[in-house]
Amino acid sequence: MAKIAVGADHGGYELKAFLMERLIQEGYEVIDCGVHAAESADYPDIAAETCKHVLSGNAQFGLVMCGTGIGISISANKIRGIRAALCADTYSARMAREHNDANVLALGGRTVGPELAWDIVQSYLGHTFTGGRHARRVAKIMELEEKGS
Ligand code: RB5
């Protein structure tokens, strides 16, 4: 079973707790990157802490949450090597894996209900990168990261 690094600011704290419980029930190993209570936190700090585990190989995937998922996904995507996908539906979550090889899934704790969020997480984790022409495109994404434009 994959190991997942999970992090949220105060806007995603409740959803994080819910999803961590589900992931553990399903047999996933989870690294809790905070916040550890409903305390105010800055989402770039949580993105950095969570993505660090993905980049080191300590976790296979990252799951990050803030109120909308926007701030934490923007933050994660600033980190070299991270491809974070903000998803609010299961089809996008599947495509994030199959086409974009996203190594981080972002969710909005205030925009997506817990059961839908769980379906999104399962869709993301249940699919794999299809490669082929998508590998070329993902390689170009990473080139943009190197070149800056
Ligand atoms: C925090 O109030 C909120 O701004 C944050 O959780 C997130 O939604 C930002 O994108």
Side-chain angles (χ1 to χ4, degrees), residues 9-11 43 66-68 70-71 110:
D9 76 351
H10 50 288
Y43 50 78
C66 63
T68 58
I70 295 172
R110 294 172 182 157

Side-chain angles (χ1 to χ4, degrees), residues 37-48:
E39 67 206 28
S40 181
D42 296 336
Y43 50 78
D45 298 336
I46 303 293

Side-chain angles (χ1 to χ4, degrees), residues 120-139:
I120 292 169
V121 169
Q122 288 180 99
S123 181
Y124 172 79
L125 293 174
H127 293 90
T128 52
F129 185 45
T130 50
R133 66 186 185 281
H134 303 296
R136 182 180 70 242
R137 292 163 187 164
V138 170

Side-chain angles (χ1 to χ4, degrees), residues 66-116:
C66 63
T68 58
I70 295 172
I72 204 152
S73 60
I74 292 173
S75 304
N77 278 316
K78 294 287 179 192
I79 301 169
R80 193 179 292 262
I82 294 298
R83 291 179 301 281
L86 172 57
C87 296
D89 65 89
T90 56
Y91 175 75
S92 298
R94 173 159 72 87
M95 289 297 115
R97 287 294 305 125
E98 288 188 349
H99 288 193
N100 311 117
D101 199 18
N103 49 10
V104 171
L105 173 67
L107 296 167
R110 294 172 182 157
T111 58
V112 176
E115 293 297 344
L116 174 58

